[in-house]
Amino acid sequence: MSDEKARPGIEALLEETRQFPPPADFVAKAAVSNTSLYEQAENDPEAYWAAWARKLDWILDFETVLEGEAPDFTWFADGKLNAYVNCLDRHVEAGLGDKVALHFEGEPGDRRTLTYADLLREVCRAANGLRSLGVTKGDRVAVYLPMVPELAITLLACARIGAIHSVVFGGFSADSLRDRINDSGCKVLITADAGWRRGKPVPLKATSDEAVAATPTIEKMVVLERAGVRHEMVEGRDIHWSDLIDGQPDECQPEWMDAEDVLFILYTSGTTGKPKGIVHTTGGYLTGVSATTRLVFDLKDDDVFWCTADIGWITGHSYIVYGPMSQGATQVMYEGAPDWPDCTRFWNLIEQYGVTIFYTAPTAIRAFMKWGDDFPASADLSSLRLLGTVGEPINPEAWTWYHERIGGGRCPIVDTWWQTETGHIMISPLPGVTTLRPGSATHPLPGISVELRTEEGEVIDEGGGYLALNRPWPGMLRGIWGDPDRFVRQYWSFWDDKVYFTGDGAKRDGEGYIVILGRVDDVISVSGHRIGTMEVESAIVEHPAVAEAAVVGRKDDITGEAICAFLILRDGFDHSPELRAEVQDFVGRKIGRFARPKDVLLTADLPKTRSGKIMRRLLRDIAEGRALGDVTTLADPGVVQSLKDRYQAEG
Ligand code: WTA
């Protein structure tokens, strides 16, 4: 953590006083409609979670629940189960084989319906295919696919045979893919020729080829033919998906896993240049995602659930694949952009498939607002009964629009706070119980305990502070792949008493309502995607023209935050608009398009403390056009004023 820790970022927000109690007809049918679950969980959190765990199918029942000490906790450690079997076999055995698991729609309009029996068959064939490539329990499999059913199928196929999947979002660059493959030593990469985005194929095979040129551990590459894009196949290394599963039997013996065997790794940005491979295990994670799917989304057997996240992020892992599928839900899965071919796409999908529960990101909601009310008004959204948001704070204005224009004023909104690291939702309303306040994720879920703390570790009952999780929970991360020291340093060492630090600031009012204020570390959230400032800085300084770079997040109306980069050029390079665009593209190629800086300011100097640290807080003030903050510790106060003048002039 840098000088930012002391940043007075725990700002007071607009006072929001409106309240929305759960509508009576919602309460009447809700799975949970009173607060007794909170009390029950509070009296005995372990018994509470054990009861949820026992709703899953275990091949060997557990006797122990929570064991260990911070940060090395285990859950249900002596039990054995298979995540996949819990997502598929048990539903088919219960007679739900004909129930639709996925209504898939590709961006070009192609459709596929997969029942639970279809999925079971497809996944068994894929799992057998992976086994035929020599993949066995504990092997790491990198997955770099568009949002098509094969992405979910691949995850479940890995789970069936005990392989550890590491999904890399399809928007990441070759370098990012390469680094993630190398960090966890993946043996196989599963990719596609391309995926569709805004009418164009986004190449994945070509990027994969570039990445695996420097990944010594990759033995095989599986290529799904999705978009009909020409691609090269490397003899002996590459195999098409269709050939992999061709002739494979429909049945596949599952690998029985210890509850604490690793289910997956998912990389997320942190405060250093290197992404962290967050490790999740099987029994606790599945318990957490299945419980929260039932409680937070009030999921019923006839619901049609649509989570718009990409499976490349944790939201898709937990609330497309493992949560809803473990609960036998019917889901909508859509490949492409919300504004393709026009801005009615999402609303048409809701109407067509009769979506009842819709879960999306505030960034998307703000974009819908900007596009205008006519688009949602043109579709019949009356099937909706519950809305959700995730990934970033939602401003009350966007909340209100979502409530009225999408939810018709009748649907509760669950504003769900959680992280890649927490595995499942931690702070959220229960829609049949909680009185909502726009902008507040409300209260911790039953069994979850949070604290707001000062930097010194003093607990704050009311007001702003650092958000801490002071009681273990089943889906908690078990580590950072290959880096136990960083795990302790990053999450468990902020205070002396080994309590988990989230990296977020929050405030709580007298009635216990929590408002998340955002990251207090050097992580920027662009459209809810976490990007480390250091990661962007190290990408930029690789550009031959750049001597030094400092990157900050500034507020943005649509994406929540936007990346703003301040650069010092090497001698011999001139400031020019072309160079600026080049640096933007360069970062896009190094990390991924979503990490391109929105603003690039070329400067002669950067404000630094006397000890040489870049004063990001001042840069943020400049980027947001605020009055200058405290410059007394600045080595050269003049730098700031000239930077500010430049920024405003170049706008
Ligand atoms: C932010 C996404 C406000 C927060 C599931 C957190 C939120 C980070 C909310 C995790 C919310 C997530 N309100 N902020 N409802 N949900 N965040 O790992 O800063 O991609 O620490 O997981 O997103 O992002 P991640």
Side-chain angles (χ1 to χ4, degrees), residues 368-436:
F368 302 146
M369 277 175 78
K370 195 180 105 196
W371 297 338
D373 296 357
D374 291 350
F375 297 108
S378 71
D380 178 2
L381 304 180
S382 60
S383 58
L384 290 171
R385 66 179 194 90
L386 180 63
L387 303 174
T389 69
V390 60
E392 32 169 345
I394 180 161
N395 44 314
E397 193 194 355
W399 194 100
T400 307
W401 185 88
Y402 194 35
H403 190 250
E404 285 172 12
R405 303 293 148 175
I406 307 303
R410 69 183 181 277
C411 305
I413 298 177
V414 286
D415 175 352
T416 63
W417 178 90
W418 56 296
Q419 308 179 296
T420 304
E421 292 87 341
T422 69
H424 50 79
I425 300 171
M426 302 291 281
I427 305 177
S428 165
L430 290 184
V433 179
T434 313
T435 293
L436 308 175

Side-chain angles (χ1 to χ4, degrees), residues 4-77:
E4 290 316 289
K5 200 164 64 170
R7 159 186 165 201
I10 318 284
E11 301 148 11
L13 286 191
L14 263 182
E15 220 39 68
E16 171 65 54
T17 53
R18 285 172 307 154
Q19 302 199 6
F20 297 81
D25 53 342
F26 193 97
V27 178
K29 295 186 205 138
V32 185
S33 54
N34 63 56
T35 58
S36 62
L37 199 66
Y38 289 95
E39 286 136 34
Q40 209 183 308
E42 212 43 41
N43 286 339
D44 192 344
E46 289 183 37
Y48 169 80
W49 288 117
W52 276 109
R54 290 223 156 78
K55 292 182 202 277
L56 299 169
D57 276 3
W58 296 76
I59 179 102
L60 180 67
D61 193 14
F62 55 89
E63 282 177 21
T64 65
V65 179
L66 172 65
E67 296 208 311
E69 276 174 33
D72 300 312
F73 294 105
T74 63
W75 285 85
F76 320 118

